Amino acid sequence: MTDKCRQLWDELGALWVCVVLNPHCKSEEKSSWLRQLKKWGEMDVCPLEDGNYGSELPNITNALPQSNLSQDSLARPRRTVFSRAVEACDLHWQDSHLQRIISSEHYMSPAYQREGESLLFNPQGLPLWLDHVPTACARVDALRSHGYSREALRLAVAIINTLRLQQQRQMDIYKHQKKDLLQKGVTSITNLEGWVGHPLDPIGCLFNTLTETCRVDDDRISCTEGILPRPPVYHHIPVWGSSDGGESYLTLALEVALMGMGQQRIMPEGLYAQDKVCRNEEQIVSKLQELELDSLLVQTLRKQTVQLLEAGPFSGLGEVIHRESVPMHTFAKYLFSALLSHDADLAYKVALRAMRLPVLESSASSGDVGHPHHGISIVPSRYPRWFTLGHLESQQCELASTMLTAAKGDMLRLRTVLEAIQKNIHSSSLIFKLAQDAFKIATPADNPSDITLLNVALELGLQVMRMTLSTLNWRRREMVRWLVTCATEVGMRALVSILQSWYTLFTPTEATSIVAATVMSHNTILRLSLDYPQREELASCARTLALQCAMKDPQNCALSALTLCEKDHIAFETAYQIVIDAASTGMTYSQLFTIARYMEHRGYPLRSFKLASLAMTHLNLAYNQDTHPAINDVLWACALSHSLGKNELAAIIPLVVKSVQCATVLSDILRRCTMTAPGLAGIPGRRNSGKLMSTDKAPLRQLLDATISAYINTTHSRLTHISPRHYGEFIEFLSKARETFLLAQDGHIQFAQFIDNLKQIYKGKKKLMMLVRERFG
């Protein structure tokens, strides 16, 4: 079922509650509706109340004595969208106290109260209605829906007076329990069900009933032609009987919305029910934002916010809350924005209190803020009941971002907000988003940078680095680059700091290839306008980092380390020695060839030759790998040794013979070595012979024998599984073999014997042998 369709079913269920609660309906009408509702509810296709099979919300009557459902709560009966309407059929309007409430605004407690009447009025003598809150609000909705708006308003005021009295009593209870609760640090939730996200929307109902009375009717601009309507305009209408005389239906509407939103409530089961809580919360906030806050409303806002902060476990903003309590981030963001210009201290107090997300606390250490990287990515899978966790975390991030923006330039407030973020936000991606937001706000295009906020952005960036260092994050590379940019903006000391503590923030590869390389770039030097001593200090830190990384991970960092140490002779020598030490064990031929080519490029041919020789010992090129990626490196290494002289060529050929079994590669090397004399492109000042080397003498004789042997072995291997379509290709291969054979003194005899052997061994392949005879006799 789509979300829209699901919402329509919910509205239909609530509408039927209004229908059956008609104050003047006849009993036969109610009986007829009840039969019809039960019939619909028994159908298998009838949608369930909370969209989640196997879960139940409490009865509309809050387990009134006449309800059979209260007898066996373990039965968990199937509740459909019509269940509340069925239960509402048991409610009536004959109660004399209820009739007096809705009949007159001037109804007050009598001077001499009879026994039991003290429960019906508050200390000021105003009437109370002690019904279960959603049920009482359903009565208000029914009165409004059937045209009894004055009666609905009177009942709404009685309900709010009841909620106020309950809140005061709850605060009195908390004062006696406060010491124990704070010591234990845990609490239970006393509310059976939350009013926000409730199927009957009790808070929305009371808010709409009260604000409609205060609405100024004006000619609103039409929505046609893309023109948006103006927000509604409200004015204060005094409430009769209020103690201070400054109370209006509008202040009551604000107060009840704040009480409902601030109620501590358990996270309901099921995706739909949780999504509904988020949606309803956003709806109420959007209505609150339409109120233009004047002095009366600000007074109400401050008073109720303080009460929510001091109400202990009865409020979601209390000092101690339950682990599975619905978070207050969206609500607190509204409170923060509304209070900021009137009472900044209170605004920050409530927003910082609301930053909590206790459901994640057991999976991430709150004490170890410096290294909170463990358990980050596994939280959602560990706690699958919270389907909207991603949305809740993003709301938490929005609240933090709002505080950061407002605290720009105020170091003390920024430090407090930063600590709250580090303690309560457990998603590295969201902390990274906050760091980026702070950086963007701190560096406006047309104004100087705000160093206080920049430092906060850097702190958050450093935390992200620590969190993601040992866990996988697909944005890690982007995060590292951003951190260097941020540190550059903060200044040289920040760059020195991250270079010196790199091992807590980066992998060796990141530290050399991204961090140190960026810090040492020309752009960074220009950006910071560094003088010579500062440039040297930065370069020294980068070189130290490079050598440490090369020691820790020579495979991936050696080349970067050499590049970073180029301008310092001692550091460069140290880096080179690290490579040589690691070459025999920890490095691959491709890494060594890459470094060898770099050394040649830097003008160190003998060092290049040594590294190329070490690379050759790691390589193994099989007979059929004639397209191997290392072939170019082998040819380059042989060309290098050939250019250095006869001794170097003599040293590398045994390594080539041992590592390379591919005949075509060997013949290519042999051909190149015989074309020019060794040492002609050698080191200046070195005497070169200028004579071509003979293939009959060492070291080329060894290479020639190996090449002939490779051709013979490869020929036999290819003939084992050759197919007719490869015959032509094979004949060309033999032609290349003959060229190599002929380099030997008795090469033509050897080749003739080789062909004779082939004709003898593979005489069964008549067509192929016929082609061999045609070409080679």
Side-chain angles (χ1 to χ4, degrees), residues 255-413:
E255 187 175 350
V256 77
L258 299 178
M259 287 169 82
M261 293 277 281
Q263 174 206 36
Q264 186 182 185
R265 51 199 182 269
I266 204 87
M267 178 63 81
E269 287 185 23
L271 170 59
Y272 177 72
Q274 291 175 21
D275 191 49
K276 195 171 175 182
V277 167
C278 299
R279 270 204 318 273
N280 194 202
E281 198 172 37
E282 285 162 6
Q283 285 164 0
I284 297 170
V285 166
S286 68
K287 287 176 183 175
L288 287 172
Q289 286 169 337
E290 289 178 347
L291 297 178
E292 195 173 324
L293 295 176
D294 55 19
S295 58
L296 264 180
L297 289 175
V298 168
Q299 188 182 336
T300 304
L301 184 70
R302 290 170 73 170
K303 181 184 169 189
Q304 188 54 233
T305 302
V306 169
Q307 285 185 309
L308 287 171
L309 287 169
E310 294 174 356
F314 302 99
S315 160
L317 293 168
E319 279 185 82
V320 181
I321 56 171
H322 191 270
R323 183 171 178 268
E324 294 187 35
S325 175
V326 173
M328 296 279 121
H329 309 132
T330 306
F331 178 42
K333 187 185 169 189
Y334 162 74
L335 289 177
F336 180 80
S337 302
L339 284 165
L340 189 61
S341 56
H342 307 288
D343 188 341
D345 287 340
L346 182 59
Y348 278 100
K349 188 176 181 183
V350 75
L352 290 165
R353 176 77 62 82
M355 276 292 289
R356 303 169 292 190
L357 193 51
V359 75
L360 298 184
E361 288 302 322
S362 64
S363 306
S365 166
S366 56
D368 186 11
V369 178
H371 302 276
H373 53 263
H374 48 279
I376 302 307
S377 58
I378 55 173
V379 168
S381 59
R382 265 199 184 168
Y383 212 77
R385 196 177 82 75
W386 283 50
F387 298 100
T388 53
L389 189 59
H391 170 76
L392 297 171
E393 285 188 290
S394 68
Q395 289 299 302
Q396 183 190 33
C397 181
E398 285 288 316
L399 174 61
S401 184
T402 305
M403 283 195 283
L404 282 175
T405 307
K408 182 180 177 180
D410 187 333
M411 196 60 236
L412 198 62
R413 290 227 197 273

Side-chain angles (χ1 to χ4, degrees), residues 348-515:
Y348 278 100
K349 188 176 181 183
V350 75
L352 290 165
R353 176 77 62 82
M355 276 292 289
R356 303 169 292 190
L357 193 51
V359 75
L360 298 184
E361 288 302 322
S362 64
S363 306
S365 166
S366 56
D368 186 11
V369 178
H371 302 276
H373 53 263
H374 48 279
I376 302 307
S377 58
I378 55 173
V379 168
S381 59
R382 265 199 184 168
Y383 212 77
R385 196 177 82 75
W386 283 50
F387 298 100
T388 53
L389 189 59
H391 170 76
L392 297 171
E393 285 188 290
S394 68
Q395 289 299 302
Q396 183 190 33
C397 181
E398 285 288 316
L399 174 61
S401 184
T402 305
M403 283 195 283
L404 282 175
T405 307
K408 182 180 177 180
D410 187 333
M411 196 60 236
L412 198 62
R413 290 227 197 273
L414 279 174
R415 180 55 53 183
T416 314
V417 176
L418 176 64
E419 285 169 7
I421 291 167
Q422 291 177 322
K423 181 181 178 184
N424 296 299
I425 298 184
H426 303 293
S427 160
S428 56
S429 297
L430 290 177
I431 295 178
F432 183 52
K433 181 185 180 299
L434 281 174
Q436 288 177 304
D437 288 350
F439 182 78
K440 206 175 287 181
I441 299 160
T443 52
D446 45 358
N447 287 313
S449 298
D450 183 281
I451 194 65
T452 55
L453 198 51
L454 261 180
N455 278 313
V456 168
L458 181 64
E459 279 287 321
L460 291 172
L462 293 172
Q463 186 180 354
V464 171
M465 289 298 101
R466 289 190 284 264
M467 288 171 81
T468 55
L469 181 59
S470 58
T471 56
L472 293 174
N473 190 306
W474 63 275
R475 296 182 69 189
R476 172 75 184 176
R477 196 172 181 83
E478 177 195 349
M479 291 168 170
V480 173
R481 290 188 185 283
W482 178 87
L483 183 76
V484 179
T485 304
C486 183
T488 306
E489 201 66 35
V490 173
M492 182 185 152
R493 297 265 57 94
L495 287 176
V496 169
S497 174
I498 66 169
L499 289 174
Q500 288 176 340
S501 58
W502 70 268
Y503 44 87
T504 63
L505 305 169
F506 315 109
T507 64
T509 312
E510 290 167 346
T512 51
S513 64
I514 302 175
V515 182

Side-chain angles (χ1 to χ4, degrees), residues 635-666:
L635 294 173
W636 166 81
C638 292
L640 172 69
S641 56
H642 188 272
S643 69
L644 289 174
K646 188 175 178 181
N647 294 338
E648 286 77 11
L649 186 61
I652 206 161
I653 281 176
L655 299 176
V656 172
V657 168
K658 188 177 178 183
S659 303
V660 181
Q661 282 81 48
C662 183
T664 52
V665 176
L666 289 169

Side-chain angles (χ1 to χ4, degrees), residues 620-632 635 660-668 711 714 718 729 733 736:
N620 185 26
L621 244 168
Y623 74 91
N624 57 350
Q625 291 182 298
D626 50 1
T627 56
H628 195 281
I631 289 172
N632 281 333
L635 294 173
V660 181
Q661 282 81 48
C662 183
T664 52
V665 176
L666 289 169
S667 64
D668 202 0
Y711 268 117
T714 307
R718 290 179 71 162
E729 189 184 315
F733 176 76
K736 285 183 182 177

